[in-house]
PDB file of all heavy atoms in Angstrom:
ATOM      1  N   PHE U  62      -8.373 -15.261  -8.831  1.00  0.00           N
ATOM      2  CA  PHE U  62      -7.567 -15.998  -9.809  1.00  0.00           C
ATOM      3  C   PHE U  62      -6.847 -14.938 -10.623  1.00  0.00           C
ATOM      4  O   PHE U  62      -7.501 -14.071 -11.233  1.00  0.00           O
ATOM      5  CB  PHE U  62      -8.454 -16.859 -10.711  1.00  0.00           C
ATOM      6  CG  PHE U  62      -7.685 -17.676 -11.708  1.00  0.00           C
ATOM      7  CD1 PHE U  62      -7.267 -18.963 -11.391  1.00  0.00           C
ATOM      8  CD2 PHE U  62      -7.377 -17.166 -12.960  1.00  0.00           C
ATOM      9  CE1 PHE U  62      -6.554 -19.719 -12.316  1.00  0.00           C
ATOM     10  CE2 PHE U  62      -6.667 -17.916 -13.884  1.00  0.00           C
ATOM     11  CZ  PHE U  62      -6.255 -19.197 -13.563  1.00  0.00           C
ATOM     12  N   ALA U  69       3.722  -7.750 -12.624  1.00  0.00           N
ATOM     13  CA  ALA U  69       2.492  -7.157 -12.068  1.00  0.00           C
ATOM     14  C   ALA U  69       1.608  -8.219 -11.431  1.00  0.00           C
ATOM     15  O   ALA U  69       1.104  -8.043 -10.320  1.00  0.00           O
ATOM     16  CB  ALA U  69       1.732  -6.400 -13.143  1.00  0.00           C
ATOM     17  N   GLY U  93       7.316 -17.585 -18.963  1.00  0.00           N
ATOM     18  CA  GLY U  93       6.906 -16.186 -19.067  1.00  0.00           C
ATOM     19  C   GLY U  93       7.811 -15.269 -18.278  1.00  0.00           C
ATOM     20  O   GLY U  93       8.670 -15.700 -17.511  1.00  0.00           O
ATOM     21  N   LEU U  98      10.996 -14.981 -11.166  1.00  0.00           N
ATOM     22  CA  LEU U  98      10.738 -14.275  -9.915  1.00  0.00           C
ATOM     23  C   LEU U  98       9.775 -15.024  -9.007  1.00  0.00           C
ATOM     24  O   LEU U  98       9.598 -14.669  -7.853  1.00  0.00           O
ATOM     25  CB  LEU U  98      10.163 -12.881 -10.211  1.00  0.00           C
ATOM     26  CG  LEU U  98      11.045 -11.969 -11.054  1.00  0.00           C
ATOM     27  CD1 LEU U  98      10.269 -10.715 -11.446  1.00  0.00           C
ATOM     28  CD2 LEU U  98      12.306 -11.610 -10.298  1.00  0.00           C
ATOM     29  N   LEU U 115     -10.228 -22.081 -11.597  1.00  0.00           N
ATOM     30  CA  LEU U 115     -10.892 -20.871 -12.100  1.00  0.00           C
ATOM     31  C   LEU U 115     -12.341 -20.800 -11.614  1.00  0.00           C
ATOM     32  O   LEU U 115     -12.821 -19.736 -11.221  1.00  0.00           O
ATOM     33  CB  LEU U 115     -10.844 -20.832 -13.622  1.00  0.00           C
ATOM     34  CG  LEU U 115     -11.499 -19.631 -14.278  1.00  0.00           C
ATOM     35  CD1 LEU U 115     -10.702 -18.362 -13.999  1.00  0.00           C
ATOM     36  CD2 LEU U 115     -11.642 -19.850 -15.772  1.00  0.00           C
ATOM     37  N   ALA U 118     -13.054 -19.160  -8.271  1.00  0.00           N
ATOM     38  CA  ALA U 118     -12.770 -17.728  -8.115  1.00  0.00           C
ATOM     39  C   ALA U 118     -14.040 -16.887  -8.163  1.00  0.00           C
ATOM     40  O   ALA U 118     -14.950 -17.158  -8.945  1.00  0.00           O
ATOM     41  CB  ALA U 118     -11.813 -17.269  -9.215  1.00  0.00           C
ATOM     42  N   THR U 119     -14.061 -15.858  -7.324  1.00  0.00           N
ATOM     43  CA  THR U 119     -15.137 -14.863  -7.398  1.00  0.00           C
ATOM     44  C   THR U 119     -14.699 -13.684  -8.270  1.00  0.00           C
ATOM     45  O   THR U 119     -15.530 -12.948  -8.783  1.00  0.00           O
ATOM     46  CB  THR U 119     -15.517 -14.347  -5.998  1.00  0.00           C
ATOM     47  OG1 THR U 119     -14.354 -13.783  -5.378  1.00  0.00           O
ATOM     48  CG2 THR U 119     -16.086 -15.459  -5.142  1.00  0.00           C
ATOM     49  N   SER U 139     -13.236 -18.688 -22.534  1.00  0.00           N
ATOM     50  CA  SER U 139     -13.347 -20.060 -23.030  1.00  0.00           C
ATOM     51  C   SER U 139     -13.153 -21.087 -21.914  1.00  0.00           C
ATOM     52  O   SER U 139     -13.626 -22.212 -22.024  1.00  0.00           O
ATOM     53  CB  SER U 139     -12.361 -20.310 -24.171  1.00  0.00           C
ATOM     54  OG  SER U 139     -11.040 -20.333 -23.694  1.00  0.00           O
ATOM     55  N   LEU U 160     -13.736  -7.345 -23.832  1.00  0.00           N
ATOM     56  CA  LEU U 160     -14.678  -7.161 -22.723  1.00  0.00           C
ATOM     57  C   LEU U 160     -16.120  -7.208 -23.209  1.00  0.00           C
ATOM     58  O   LEU U 160     -16.993  -7.689 -22.490  1.00  0.00           O
ATOM     59  CB  LEU U 160     -14.405  -5.851 -21.989  1.00  0.00           C
ATOM     60  CG  LEU U 160     -13.141  -5.795 -21.146  1.00  0.00           C
ATOM     61  CD1 LEU U 160     -13.047  -4.452 -20.432  1.00  0.00           C
ATOM     62  CD2 LEU U 160     -13.082  -6.931 -20.143  1.00  0.00           C
ATOM     63  N   LEU U 176      -1.857   2.501  -9.676  1.00  0.00           N
ATOM     64  CA  LEU U 176      -1.116   3.647 -10.198  1.00  0.00           C
ATOM     65  C   LEU U 176       0.268   3.744  -9.561  1.00  0.00           C
ATOM     66  O   LEU U 176       0.743   4.824  -9.220  1.00  0.00           O
ATOM     67  CB  LEU U 176      -1.924   4.928  -9.985  1.00  0.00           C
ATOM     68  CG  LEU U 176      -3.309   4.911 -10.636  1.00  0.00           C
ATOM     69  CD1 LEU U 176      -4.055   6.191 -10.344  1.00  0.00           C
ATOM     70  CD2 LEU U 176      -3.216   4.667 -12.133  1.00  0.00           C
ATOM     71  N   TRP U 193      -3.034   4.637  -4.992  1.00  0.00           N
ATOM     72  CA  TRP U 193      -4.239   4.858  -5.784  1.00  0.00           C
ATOM     73  C   TRP U 193      -4.388   3.708  -6.767  1.00  0.00           C
ATOM     74  O   TRP U 193      -3.415   3.221  -7.327  1.00  0.00           O
ATOM     75  CB  TRP U 193      -4.136   6.171  -6.558  1.00  0.00           C
ATOM     76  CG  TRP U 193      -4.199   7.376  -5.682  1.00  0.00           C
ATOM     77  CD1 TRP U 193      -3.152   8.008  -5.077  1.00  0.00           C
ATOM     78  CD2 TRP U 193      -5.374   8.073  -5.295  1.00  0.00           C
ATOM     79  NE1 TRP U 193      -3.596   9.062  -4.335  1.00  0.00           N
ATOM     80  CE2 TRP U 193      -4.970   9.135  -4.460  1.00  0.00           C
ATOM     81  CE3 TRP U 193      -6.718   7.913  -5.574  1.00  0.00           C
ATOM     82  CZ2 TRP U 193      -5.864  10.031  -3.898  1.00  0.00           C
ATOM     83  CZ3 TRP U 193      -7.622   8.803  -5.016  1.00  0.00           C
ATOM     84  CH2 TRP U 193      -7.192   9.848  -4.191  1.00  0.00           C
ATOM     85  N   GLU U 204     -17.722  -2.157  -7.692  1.00  0.00           N
ATOM     86  CA  GLU U 204     -17.911  -2.427  -6.266  1.00  0.00           C
ATOM     87  C   GLU U 204     -16.875  -3.431  -5.759  1.00  0.00           C
ATOM     88  O   GLU U 204     -16.234  -3.231  -4.726  1.00  0.00           O
ATOM     89  CB  GLU U 204     -19.320  -2.971  -6.035  1.00  0.00           C
ATOM     90  CG  GLU U 204     -19.654  -3.244  -4.599  1.00  0.00           C
ATOM     91  CD  GLU U 204     -21.085  -3.752  -4.460  1.00  0.00           C
ATOM     92  OE1 GLU U 204     -22.003  -3.164  -5.063  1.00  0.00           O
ATOM     93  OE2 GLU U 204     -21.256  -4.757  -3.732  1.00  0.00           O
ATOM     94  N   ARG U 205     -16.655  -4.508  -6.518  1.00  0.00           N
ATOM     95  CA  ARG U 205     -15.698  -5.534  -6.114  1.00  0.00           C
ATOM     96  C   ARG U 205     -14.283  -5.000  -6.196  1.00  0.00           C
ATOM     97  O   ARG U 205     -13.462  -5.259  -5.332  1.00  0.00           O
ATOM     98  CB  ARG U 205     -15.861  -6.746  -7.010  1.00  0.00           C
ATOM     99  CG  ARG U 205     -15.452  -8.071  -6.423  1.00  0.00           C
ATOM    100  CD  ARG U 205     -16.158  -8.355  -5.142  1.00  0.00           C
ATOM    101  NE  ARG U 205     -17.084  -9.385  -4.947  1.00  0.00           N
ATOM    102  CZ  ARG U 205     -17.633 -10.262  -5.721  1.00  0.00           C
ATOM    103  NH1 ARG U 205     -17.389 -10.337  -6.959  1.00  0.00           N
ATOM    104  NH2 ARG U 205     -18.462 -11.135  -5.278  1.00  0.00           N
ATOM    105  N   LEU U 209     -11.502  -4.639  -3.133  1.00  0.00           N
ATOM    106  CA  LEU U 209     -10.143  -5.187  -3.190  1.00  0.00           C
ATOM    107  C   LEU U 209      -9.098  -4.090  -2.959  1.00  0.00           C
ATOM    108  O   LEU U 209      -8.117  -4.297  -2.250  1.00  0.00           O
ATOM    109  CB  LEU U 209      -9.894  -5.877  -4.521  1.00  0.00           C
ATOM    110  CG  LEU U 209     -10.573  -7.219  -4.723  1.00  0.00           C
ATOM    111  CD1 LEU U 209     -10.370  -7.714  -6.143  1.00  0.00           C
ATOM    112  CD2 LEU U 209     -10.073  -8.233  -3.709  1.00  0.00           C
ATOM    113  N   ALA U 210      -9.326  -2.927  -3.576  1.00  0.00           N
ATOM    114  CA  ALA U 210      -8.399  -1.804  -3.387  1.00  0.00           C
ATOM    115  C   ALA U 210      -8.336  -1.420  -1.914  1.00  0.00           C
ATOM    116  O   ALA U 210      -7.253  -1.145  -1.396  1.00  0.00           O
ATOM    117  CB  ALA U 210      -8.835  -0.619  -4.245  1.00  0.00           C
TER     118      ALA U 210
END
Side-chain angles (χ1 to χ4, degrees):
F62 182 91
L98 301 171
L115 180 69
T119 58
S139 70
L160 289 183
L176 302 178
W193 290 89
E204 182 179 313
R205 206 56 114 355
L209 286 174

